[in-house]
Amino acid sequence: MEKSLLKLSVPLAAVAGGALYVSNKLFNVAFKRVNYVPETSAEKQKYADQYYAYVDWFHKVTHETWYLNEHDPAKRLVATYIPSANPVGKTVIISHGYKGNRETMANYAKMFYEMGFNVLLPDDRAHGDSAGDYINFGWLDRLDYLNWINRTISNNGEQEKILLFGVSMGGATIEMLSGENLPTQVKALIADCGYSSIKEELTYLLKEQYHLPEYPVEPLVSTINKQRLGYYLGDVSSKEQLKKNRRPILFIHGGKDTYVPVHMAYENYRATKAPKQLWIVKNATHAESFWYNPEAYQKRVSSFLKTYF
């Protein structure tokens, strides 16, 4: 009997060790900071010329550099602020996507700038010029955005009207932020292709990209995240935060999104009781809705703002 148990314990230990190794590897791939912007997906390569034209505008337009925790290198956060050429008392704060940075949101910045907004573009923790070793997928970032909101009010005055906007991880960040006690200056939110929860997104990608089961990988990754960042993945959710949201919100999602599946947009939409709109861009892939038809995108955003901002 003892020999049988010993024989059984050896392969079990090997399986457990293998699962832990894979989970730790996945955590580092998904959560550890990288100091470059990964190449965009193949279906969006055709927009490269337009993208770099926006980036060129971003670097040439009059702008300022803002900081949070400026004198603490371990916690310093950096943002670009673009003042409107004709200020009318409104600012949009733009949240970038996974492994992106403020520059990668140049197209949205220019769109809102031409609509008369001041534009604030932060680099999230562990992205761009901001400090941090691990990507937190919006959960801790949402607290930083509260500070960016207050920094905007301090700079622009109590009468400033603020719009929150984000794409992909940035969309989820705005959704997670929606459940916080936001200042009255925040008037509306726009979330483009945000996921319904970190756990659901990770579980989906485990299956679709890595062909791995949820168990035991997700619980192990979640435990590593708890040790590194202080929370289990299952403890945070865009949907749960949206239940507390009271601001008008526009959800945008590509109908052919296979990275953040479109059903998550419907889940997020159903979660909030606030005034809301949902726009599914039928033929767009992940984070492609703007590029697919910039004029239609701006028209839809403008219509939403005309109603609710």
Side-chain angles (χ1 to χ4, degrees):
M1 181 67 174
E2 289 180 358
K3 288 183 179 180
S4 298
L5 288 173
L6 181 60
K7 289 180 180 179
L8 182 62
S9 67
V10 172
L12 284 176
V15 169
L20 185 59
Y21 172 81
V22 168
S23 300
N24 195 64
K25 189 84 172 176
L26 279 170
F27 178 85
N28 285 331
V29 168
F31 290 77
K32 200 167 185 178
R33 142 178 231 134
V34 294
N35 291 312
Y36 62 91
V37 177
E39 190 175 73
T40 190
S41 57
E43 66 266 11
K44 290 199 284 294
Q45 292 287 348
K46 59 181 175 287
Y47 304 118
D49 289 345
Q50 296 105 298
Y51 171 77
Y52 285 109
Y54 284 115
V55 170
D56 186 54
W57 170 87
F58 174 80
H59 289 292
K60 290 179 178 178
V61 70
T62 299
H63 62 272
E64 306 166 7
T65 302
W66 286 10
Y67 299 93
L68 297 176
N69 313 312
E70 181 176 1
H71 303 295
D72 185 348
K75 296 181 179 179
R76 183 186 298 127
L77 300 176
V78 183
T80 292
Y81 177 72
I82 304 172
S84 171
N86 300 290
V88 291
K90 59 182 183 179
T91 297
V92 60
I93 302 177
I94 297 178
S95 181
H96 65 73
Y98 175 64
K99 293 185 178 178
N101 58 35
R102 59 200 195 273
E103 178 186 282
T104 62
M105 306 301 281
N107 54 314
Y108 304 103
K110 189 171 188 289
M111 178 185 75
F112 283 112
Y113 179 82
E114 291 177 347
M115 294 166 67
F117 282 84
N118 305 306
V119 183
L120 181 64
L121 302 110
D123 278 346
D124 291 352
R125 300 184 192 195
H127 291 82
D129 293 323
S130 290
D133 296 324
Y134 296 103
I135 298 166
N136 66 83
F137 287 85
W139 183 242
L140 302 180
D141 295 320
R142 83 193 195 288
L143 304 177
D144 300 327
Y145 278 86
L146 284 173
N147 290 325
W148 287 122
I149 291 167
N150 290 328
R151 174 78 165 82
T152 300
I153 296 168
S154 175
N155 186 80
N156 295 356
E158 295 288 331
Q159 302 306 311
E160 193 76 358
K161 295 198 296 183
I162 296 174
L163 170 68
L164 303 177
F165 173 90
V167 178
S168 190
M169 185 185 79
T173 302
I174 297 306
E175 290 162 353
M176 293 176 187
L177 179 57
S178 74
E180 300 303 313
N181 185 22
L182 298 172
T184 58
Q185 286 84 357
V186 176
K187 303 300 182 184
L189 307 90
I190 301 175
D192 187 333
C193 61
Y195 38 80
S196 51
S197 78
I198 305 171
K199 178 179 178 179
E200 289 177 52
E201 177 64 9
L202 176 63
T203 300
Y204 170 80
L205 293 177
L206 281 174
K207 178 182 177 182
E208 296 297 318
Q209 291 193 354
Y210 298 100
H211 310 293
L212 291 171
E214 178 178 353
Y215 300 101
V217 179
E218 189 280 328
L220 288 170
V221 171
S222 182
T223 299
I224 296 168
N225 193 74
K226 172 69 171 177
Q227 294 169 343
R228 305 281 173 83
L229 292 172
Y231 60 92
Y232 292 109
L233 300 184
D235 290 343
V236 302
S237 165
S238 301
K239 290 183 292 185
E240 292 303 312
Q241 289 291 95
L242 283 163
K243 288 178 182 178
K244 298 180 282 185
N245 173 50
R246 296 295 177 267
R247 300 297 196 282
I249 182 167
L250 169 62
F251 299 95
I252 302 172
H253 215 102
K256 292 185 177 179
D257 193 336
T258 58
Y259 189 76
V260 177
V262 69
H263 72 79
M264 291 190 178
Y266 291 99
E267 292 177 8
N268 289 334
Y269 178 80
R270 288 193 296 266
T272 187
K273 304 302 180 186
K276 56 189 176 181
Q277 295 180 4
L278 173 62
W279 182 37
I280 303 298
V281 182
K282 185 177 179 181
N283 293 311
T285 59
H286 183 66
E288 192 190 14
S289 295
F290 174 91
W291 300 104
Y292 185 76
N293 191 330
E295 293 78 17
Y297 195 97
Q298 180 167 339
K299 184 178 180 181
R300 187 61 185 252
V301 168
S302 297
S303 175
F304 170 77
L305 295 177
K306 186 177 180 180
T307 302
Y308 290 113
F309 191 73

